[in-house]
mmCIF file of all heavy atoms in Angstrom:
data_model
loop_
_atom_site.group_PDB
_atom_site.id
_atom_site.type_symbol
_atom_site.label_atom_id
_atom_site.label_comp_id
_atom_site.label_asym_id
_atom_site.label_seq_id
_atom_site.Cartn_x
_atom_site.Cartn_y
_atom_site.Cartn_z
ATOM 1 N N GLY A 17 -4.589 12.316 -19.903
ATOM 2 C CA GLY A 17 -5.386 11.270 -19.279
ATOM 3 C C GLY A 17 -5.162 9.896 -19.845
ATOM 4 O O GLY A 17 -5.985 9.001 -19.663
ATOM 5 N N GLY A 18 -4.028 9.690 -20.544
ATOM 6 C CA GLY A 18 -3.769 8.382 -21.123
ATOM 7 C C GLY A 18 -3.359 7.345 -20.106
ATOM 8 O O GLY A 18 -3.413 6.163 -20.371
ATOM 9 N N PHE A 19 -2.888 7.771 -18.935
ATOM 10 C CA PHE A 19 -2.454 6.823 -17.915
ATOM 11 C C PHE A 19 -3.380 6.952 -16.708
ATOM 12 O O PHE A 19 -3.467 8.002 -16.092
ATOM 13 C CB PHE A 19 -1.014 7.121 -17.474
ATOM 14 C CG PHE A 19 -0.011 6.923 -18.570
ATOM 15 C CD1 PHE A 19 0.304 7.946 -19.436
ATOM 16 C CD2 PHE A 19 0.601 5.702 -18.734
ATOM 17 C CE1 PHE A 19 1.230 7.759 -20.442
ATOM 18 C CE2 PHE A 19 1.531 5.505 -19.737
ATOM 19 C CZ PHE A 19 1.839 6.537 -20.596
ATOM 20 N N ASP A 20 -4.067 5.895 -16.376
ATOM 21 C CA ASP A 20 -4.981 5.889 -15.243
ATOM 22 C C ASP A 20 -4.350 5.150 -14.077
ATOM 23 O O ASP A 20 -3.297 4.546 -14.185
ATOM 24 C CB ASP A 20 -6.304 5.217 -15.632
ATOM 25 C CG ASP A 20 -7.068 6.055 -16.643
ATOM 26 O OD1 ASP A 20 -7.030 7.287 -16.505
ATOM 27 O OD2 ASP A 20 -7.669 5.475 -17.548
ATOM 28 N N VAL A 21 -5.045 5.208 -12.963
ATOM 29 C CA VAL A 21 -4.594 4.477 -11.787
ATOM 30 C C VAL A 21 -4.515 2.996 -12.126
ATOM 31 O O VAL A 21 -5.422 2.434 -12.741
ATOM 32 C CB VAL A 21 -5.563 4.697 -10.611
ATOM 33 C CG1 VAL A 21 -5.121 3.892 -9.398
ATOM 34 C CG2 VAL A 21 -5.614 6.181 -10.259
ATOM 35 N N ASP A 22 -3.416 2.367 -11.738
ATOM 36 C CA ASP A 22 -3.198 0.963 -12.067
ATOM 37 C C ASP A 22 -4.181 0.071 -11.315
ATOM 38 O O ASP A 22 -4.402 0.245 -10.127
ATOM 39 C CB ASP A 22 -1.758 0.586 -11.704
ATOM 40 C CG ASP A 22 -1.417 -0.822 -12.150
ATOM 41 O OD1 ASP A 22 -2.073 -1.311 -13.076
ATOM 42 O OD2 ASP A 22 -0.491 -1.405 -11.554
ATOM 43 N N ILE A 23 -4.762 -0.877 -12.029
ATOM 44 C CA ILE A 23 -5.639 -1.879 -11.424
ATOM 45 C C ILE A 23 -5.033 -3.243 -11.697
ATOM 46 O O ILE A 23 -4.731 -3.578 -12.843
ATOM 47 C CB ILE A 23 -7.063 -1.828 -12.024
ATOM 48 C CG1 ILE A 23 -7.714 -0.496 -11.704
ATOM 49 C CG2 ILE A 23 -7.909 -2.967 -11.489
ATOM 50 C CD1 ILE A 23 -9.080 -0.357 -12.314
ATOM 51 N N ASP A 24 -4.841 -4.031 -10.664
ATOM 52 C CA ASP A 24 -4.300 -5.364 -10.858
ATOM 53 C C ASP A 24 -5.445 -6.296 -11.239
ATOM 54 O O ASP A 24 -5.981 -7.043 -10.418
ATOM 55 C CB ASP A 24 -3.597 -5.846 -9.591
ATOM 56 C CG ASP A 24 -2.713 -7.051 -9.876
ATOM 57 O OD1 ASP A 24 -2.830 -7.594 -10.997
ATOM 58 O OD2 ASP A 24 -1.924 -7.432 -9.009
ATOM 59 N N ALA A 25 -5.829 -6.254 -12.520
ATOM 60 C CA ALA A 25 -6.934 -7.084 -12.999
ATOM 61 C C ALA A 25 -6.599 -8.564 -12.913
ATOM 62 O O ALA A 25 -7.484 -9.408 -12.891
ATOM 63 C CB ALA A 25 -7.286 -6.706 -14.440
ATOM 64 N N ARG A 26 -5.280 -8.886 -12.883
ATOM 65 C CA ARG A 26 -4.913 -10.293 -12.734
ATOM 66 C C ARG A 26 -5.421 -10.846 -11.407
ATOM 67 O O ARG A 26 -5.826 -12.000 -11.316
ATOM 68 C CB ARG A 26 -3.383 -10.431 -12.799
ATOM 69 C CG ARG A 26 -2.809 -10.132 -14.168
ATOM 70 C CD ARG A 26 -1.299 -10.150 -14.134
ATOM 71 N NE ARG A 26 -0.771 -9.035 -13.361
ATOM 72 C CZ ARG A 26 0.524 -8.716 -13.303
ATOM 73 N NH1 ARG A 26 1.410 -9.461 -13.941
ATOM 74 N NH2 ARG A 26 0.937 -7.682 -12.610
ATOM 75 N N ASP A 27 -5.389 -10.032 -10.369
ATOM 76 C CA ASP A 27 -5.805 -10.485 -9.047
ATOM 77 C C ASP A 27 -7.290 -10.805 -9.031
ATOM 78 O O ASP A 27 -7.720 -11.865 -8.579
ATOM 79 C CB ASP A 27 -5.471 -9.408 -8.012
ATOM 80 C CG ASP A 27 -5.445 -9.971 -6.602
ATOM 81 O OD1 ASP A 27 -5.304 -11.191 -6.470
ATOM 82 O OD2 ASP A 27 -5.583 -9.196 -5.647
ATOM 83 N N ILE A 28 -8.121 -9.884 -9.550
ATOM 84 C CA ILE A 28 -9.560 -10.108 -9.581
ATOM 85 C C ILE A 28 -9.894 -11.248 -10.533
ATOM 86 O O ILE A 28 -10.727 -12.106 -10.236
ATOM 87 C CB ILE A 28 -10.289 -8.808 -9.987
ATOM 88 C CG1 ILE A 28 -10.076 -7.731 -8.921
ATOM 89 C CG2 ILE A 28 -11.767 -9.068 -10.216
ATOM 90 C CD1 ILE A 28 -10.650 -6.388 -9.274
ATOM 91 N N GLY A 29 -9.246 -11.280 -11.680
ATOM 92 C CA GLY A 29 -9.548 -12.303 -12.684
ATOM 93 C C GLY A 29 -9.122 -13.696 -12.291
ATOM 94 O O GLY A 29 -9.548 -14.672 -12.920
ATOM 95 N N ALA A 30 -8.294 -13.815 -11.251
ATOM 96 C CA ALA A 30 -7.847 -15.142 -10.812
ATOM 97 C C ALA A 30 -8.762 -15.747 -9.757
ATOM 98 O O ALA A 30 -8.532 -16.883 -9.324
ATOM 99 C CB ALA A 30 -6.425 -15.048 -10.267
ATOM 100 N N ALA A 31 -9.796 -15.017 -9.316
ATOM 101 C CA ALA A 31 -10.694 -15.529 -8.269
ATOM 102 C C ALA A 31 -11.434 -16.768 -8.756
ATOM 103 O O ALA A 31 -11.898 -16.834 -9.894
ATOM 104 C CB ALA A 31 -11.680 -14.446 -7.864
ATOM 105 N N THR A 32 -11.568 -17.760 -7.879
ATOM 106 C CA THR A 32 -12.229 -19.017 -8.241
ATOM 107 C C THR A 32 -13.490 -19.294 -7.434
ATOM 108 O O THR A 32 -14.164 -20.292 -7.662
ATOM 109 C CB THR A 32 -11.248 -20.194 -8.047
ATOM 110 O OG1 THR A 32 -10.783 -20.199 -6.689
ATOM 111 C CG2 THR A 32 -10.065 -20.067 -8.999
ATOM 112 N N SER A 33 -13.812 -18.417 -6.458
ATOM 113 C CA SER A 33 -15.020 -18.588 -5.659
ATOM 114 C C SER A 33 -15.517 -17.212 -5.242
ATOM 115 O O SER A 33 -14.794 -16.212 -5.340
ATOM 116 C CB SER A 33 -14.747 -19.447 -4.420
ATOM 117 O OG SER A 33 -13.837 -18.785 -3.551
ATOM 118 N N VAL A 34 -16.779 -17.167 -4.765
ATOM 119 C CA VAL A 34 -17.352 -15.883 -4.360
ATOM 120 C C VAL A 34 -16.587 -15.260 -3.196
ATOM 121 O O VAL A 34 -16.239 -14.071 -3.249
ATOM 122 C CB VAL A 34 -18.847 -16.053 -4.010
ATOM 123 C CG1 VAL A 34 -19.410 -14.740 -3.452
ATOM 124 C CG2 VAL A 34 -19.633 -16.484 -5.250
ATOM 125 N N PRO A 35 -16.282 -15.990 -2.120
ATOM 126 C CA PRO A 35 -15.496 -15.376 -1.039
ATOM 127 C C PRO A 35 -14.116 -14.912 -1.511
ATOM 128 O O PRO A 35 -13.644 -13.842 -1.107
ATOM 129 C CB PRO A 35 -15.385 -16.496 0.003
ATOM 130 C CG PRO A 35 -16.534 -17.401 -0.275
ATOM 131 C CD PRO A 35 -16.708 -17.358 -1.747
ATOM 132 N N ASP A 36 -13.482 -15.716 -2.374
ATOM 133 C CA ASP A 36 -12.173 -15.333 -2.904
ATOM 134 C C ASP A 36 -12.282 -14.063 -3.728
ATOM 135 O O ASP A 36 -11.434 -13.157 -3.640
ATOM 136 C CB ASP A 36 -11.622 -16.480 -3.752
ATOM 137 C CG ASP A 36 -10.204 -16.201 -4.247
ATOM 138 O OD1 ASP A 36 -9.453 -15.500 -3.536
ATOM 139 O OD2 ASP A 36 -9.850 -16.685 -5.338
ATOM 140 N N LEU A 37 -13.330 -13.942 -4.525
ATOM 141 C CA LEU A 37 -13.532 -12.748 -5.342
ATOM 142 C C LEU A 37 -13.760 -11.520 -4.468
ATOM 143 O O LEU A 37 -13.210 -10.445 -4.733
ATOM 144 C CB LEU A 37 -14.722 -12.961 -6.286
ATOM 145 C CG LEU A 37 -15.112 -11.768 -7.160
ATOM 146 C CD1 LEU A 37 -13.965 -11.364 -8.084
ATOM 147 C CD2 LEU A 37 -16.371 -12.088 -7.967
ATOM 148 N N GLN A 38 -14.567 -11.652 -3.425
ATOM 149 C CA GLN A 38 -14.818 -10.515 -2.537
ATOM 150 C C GLN A 38 -13.535 -10.059 -1.849
ATOM 151 O O GLN A 38 -13.284 -8.868 -1.732
ATOM 152 C CB GLN A 38 -15.879 -10.914 -1.502
ATOM 153 C CG GLN A 38 -17.265 -11.126 -2.094
ATOM 154 C CD GLN A 38 -18.256 -11.660 -1.092
ATOM 155 O OE1 GLN A 38 -17.869 -12.154 -0.017
ATOM 156 N NE2 GLN A 38 -19.548 -11.567 -1.415
ATOM 157 N N ARG A 39 -12.728 -11.034 -1.419
ATOM 158 C CA ARG A 39 -11.468 -10.672 -0.757
ATOM 159 C C ARG A 39 -10.532 -9.947 -1.731
ATOM 160 O O ARG A 39 -9.945 -8.917 -1.380
ATOM 161 C CB ARG A 39 -10.789 -11.940 -0.229
ATOM 162 C CG ARG A 39 -9.445 -11.697 0.457
ATOM 163 C CD ARG A 39 -8.795 -12.989 0.856
ATOM 164 N NE ARG A 39 -8.515 -13.849 -0.285
ATOM 165 C CZ ARG A 39 -7.468 -13.673 -1.098
ATOM 166 N NH1 ARG A 39 -6.619 -12.664 -0.894
ATOM 167 N NH2 ARG A 39 -7.272 -14.493 -2.106
ATOM 168 N N ARG A 40 -10.404 -10.464 -2.952
ATOM 169 C CA ARG A 40 -9.515 -9.854 -3.930
ATOM 170 C C ARG A 40 -10.007 -8.469 -4.349
ATOM 171 O O ARG A 40 -9.217 -7.539 -4.525
ATOM 172 C CB ARG A 40 -9.386 -10.756 -5.159
ATOM 173 C CG ARG A 40 -8.637 -12.060 -4.895
ATOM 174 C CD ARG A 40 -8.745 -12.997 -6.102
ATOM 175 N NE ARG A 40 -8.070 -14.262 -5.879
ATOM 176 C CZ ARG A 40 -6.796 -14.509 -6.190
ATOM 177 N NH1 ARG A 40 -6.067 -13.558 -6.747
ATOM 178 N NH2 ARG A 40 -6.263 -15.699 -5.962
ATOM 179 N N THR A 41 -11.328 -8.333 -4.510
ATOM 180 C CA THR A 41 -11.889 -7.029 -4.899
ATOM 181 C C THR A 41 -11.675 -5.992 -3.807
ATOM 182 O O THR A 41 -11.269 -4.854 -4.088
ATOM 183 C CB THR A 41 -13.392 -7.169 -5.200
ATOM 184 O OG1 THR A 41 -13.586 -8.157 -6.200
ATOM 185 C CG2 THR A 41 -13.960 -5.841 -5.678
ATOM 186 N N ASN A 42 -11.932 -6.353 -2.568
ATOM 187 C CA ASN A 42 -11.715 -5.416 -1.456
ATOM 188 C C ASN A 42 -10.249 -5.003 -1.347
ATOM 189 O O ASN A 42 -9.938 -3.833 -1.085
ATOM 190 C CB ASN A 42 -12.187 -6.042 -0.141
ATOM 191 C CG ASN A 42 -13.694 -6.226 -0.100
ATOM 192 O OD1 ASN A 42 -14.433 -5.523 -0.788
ATOM 193 N ND2 ASN A 42 -14.167 -7.180 0.695
ATOM 194 N N ALA A 43 -9.348 -5.977 -1.550
ATOM 195 C CA ALA A 43 -7.923 -5.656 -1.474
ATOM 196 C C ALA A 43 -7.513 -4.717 -2.600
ATOM 197 O O ALA A 43 -6.719 -3.784 -2.396
ATOM 198 C CB ALA A 43 -7.104 -6.943 -1.521
ATOM 199 N N THR A 44 -8.051 -4.936 -3.799
ATOM 200 C CA THR A 44 -7.731 -4.070 -4.935
ATOM 201 C C THR A 44 -8.231 -2.651 -4.698
ATOM 202 O O THR A 44 -7.527 -1.670 -4.940
ATOM 203 C CB THR A 44 -8.345 -4.640 -6.227
ATOM 204 O OG1 THR A 44 -7.793 -5.927 -6.478
ATOM 205 C CG2 THR A 44 -8.058 -3.732 -7.408
ATOM 206 N N ILE A 45 -9.477 -2.515 -4.218
ATOM 207 C CA ILE A 45 -10.039 -1.186 -3.950
ATOM 208 C C ILE A 45 -9.245 -0.486 -2.852
ATOM 209 O O ILE A 45 -8.996 0.732 -2.925
ATOM 210 C CB ILE A 45 -11.531 -1.307 -3.577
ATOM 211 C CG1 ILE A 45 -12.334 -1.765 -4.799
ATOM 212 C CG2 ILE A 45 -12.071 0.019 -3.045
ATOM 213 C CD1 ILE A 45 -13.798 -2.033 -4.509
#
C-alpha cells in the first residue's frame, strides 16, 4: 500500500478563486 492513486495536488493548489477551485476539484475527482 505504499503507492496510492495519483492526485494532481498542483492543480487544486493552484486555484485562485472559489469557482476555479470547484472546477479543478471536480476535474481531479
Side-chain angles (χ1 to χ4, degrees):
F19 295 88
D20 292 322
V21 178
D22 186 23
I23 296 177
D24 195 349
R26 292 174 292 188
D27 199 20
I28 295 175
T32 57
S33 65
V34 174
D36 185 31
L37 177 61
Q38 292 174 344
R39 179 184 61 79
R40 291 171 181 269
T41 304
N42 293 335
T44 299
I45 292 175

